[in-house]
Amino acid sequence: MPALRRELRQGGDDQDARERAVEDPALEWKLCAAAIPAALALGALFHFLTPGLQRVAFGMPLHELGHALTAWFCGYAALPTLWRTFIPEERGFLAPLALAGALGYMMVRAYLAEKLYLVALGGALLVVQGIGTLVIQERTAEMLFTFGGDGMGMVLAAALMATFFFGKRSQLYKGWLRWGFLMIGAAAFTDMFATWWAAQSDSGAIPFGEIEGVGLSDPMKLVEEHGWSTKVMVRRYVMVGLLCLLGLAVIYAWGVRHAWRKA
């Protein structure tokens, strides 16, 4: 009987090990507590030492993706590249259908996986797409996806950092993708946010001007074509960045607490 009990206990331990998402919960708790602050600190150091390299390697890709994502939610078929996002002058119908289909597919998969929070997120995004595509005027949409370069770019960067706390049973965790997403998000966020934070006291930090082969920079378009004042533009970018940090702080607190309970 004692031998049988040991075998049963050993079998249960093996089953627990197979079902456990994290191999070392104590280490995972420490990593969760340190990862986000350390990544942001390294991103700030990177920005201080080589801001140009940080912009090209990390900030610019998410900046252009921010343009494209905002345009997609406004009904435009956008194509992001490294230095420019190509957006047609008029809305189409293929891009909205493709985006709505992708969101619907995500909601179905989330429902089958019993992840109701993703179903709710997909529904909210469909509502946003409906408003952006069917309600707002083209002039307003153009203003939004112009602002969306750094605006939506900071949202995407914060989302990449937040993925550190999710997907423990997927390749996001097992394949170390979360570390790559964390560092990319932190470097891109500090690049964009630091620019507008500095612009509160130094207008020279604002990238005004004209880019060869592209045209007016985003800040110049917002001021010259859409009538924004410099002060209002800077305040709006800073507000988006602070809201991203607030949302990230909430997810960070939840993630650390969850890891601590598992440990």
Side-chain angles (χ1 to χ4, degrees), residues 51 99-100 117 121 166 184 191 205 222 227:
L99 180 58
Y117 68 93
L121 176 61
F166 300 95
I184 292 171
D191 168 66
L222 292 172

Side-chain angles (χ1 to χ4, degrees), residues 36 39 58 62 156-164 166 171-173 176-188:
I36 297 293
F58 299 101
L62 285 189
L156 292 173
L160 282 179
M161 288 187 282
T163 60
F164 189 86
F166 300 95
Q171 287 302 314
L172 182 64
Y173 173 78
W176 293 73
L177 277 175
R178 66 173 185 161
W179 291 102
F181 288 164
L182 172 66
M183 299 311 300
I184 292 171

Side-chain angles (χ1 to χ4, degrees), residues 183-207:
M183 299 311 300
I184 292 171
F189 182 85
T190 52
D191 168 66
M192 290 180 275
F193 184 66
T195 297
W196 297 106
W197 185 263
Q200 295 180 105
S201 57
D202 179 14
S203 60
I206 303 174

Side-chain angles (χ1 to χ4, degrees), residues 98-235:
L99 180 58
L103 291 174
Y105 177 74
M106 181 196 78
M107 292 172 66
V108 171
R109 290 293 301 272
Y111 178 78
L112 294 176
E114 298 183 350
K115 296 180 179 179
L116 298 183
Y117 68 93
L118 288 180
V119 176
L121 176 61
L125 292 177
L126 281 175
V127 172
V128 172
Q129 182 195 9
I131 296 173
T133 303
L134 303 175
V135 178
I136 66 172
Q137 299 179 352
E138 291 186 350
R139 178 72 173 173
T140 304
E142 181 182 350
M143 178 187 68
L144 288 176
F145 56 68
T146 299
F147 179 77
D150 276 2
M152 184 61 73
M154 286 188 285
V155 175
L156 292 173
L160 282 179
M161 288 187 282
T163 60
F164 189 86
F165 300 104
F166 300 95
K168 299 296 175 63
R169 297 184 183 275
S170 68
Q171 287 302 314
L172 182 64
Y173 173 78
K174 297 176 183 178
W176 293 73
L177 277 175
R178 66 173 185 161
W179 291 102
F181 288 164
L182 172 66
M183 299 311 300
I184 292 171
F189 182 85
T190 52
D191 168 66
M192 290 180 275
F193 184 66
T195 297
W196 297 106
W197 185 263
Q200 295 180 105
S201 57
D202 179 14
S203 60
I206 303 174
F208 283 126
E210 186 171 353
I211 304 173
E212 184 177 357
V214 177
L216 297 177
S217 66
D218 295 339
M220 188 65 75
K221 286 183 181 180
L222 292 172
V223 171
E224 296 292 335
E225 298 181 3
H226 298 287
W228 290 22
S229 69
T230 300
K231 184 177 181 180
V232 167
M233 177 180 64
V234 172
R235 184 169 67 245

Side-chain angles (χ1 to χ4, degrees), residues 31 46 65 72 85 93-94 96 140 160 174 182 213 215 247 263:
L31 293 177
F46 191 10
L65 190 57
W72 293 336
T85 298
F93 65 92
L94 290 179
T140 304
L160 282 179
K174 297 176 183 178
L182 172 66

Side-chain angles (χ1 to χ4, degrees), residues 24-44:
D24 189 341
L27 176 61
E28 177 65 17
W29 169 61
K30 295 175 183 177
L31 293 177
C32 286
I36 297 293
L40 287 173
L42 288 174

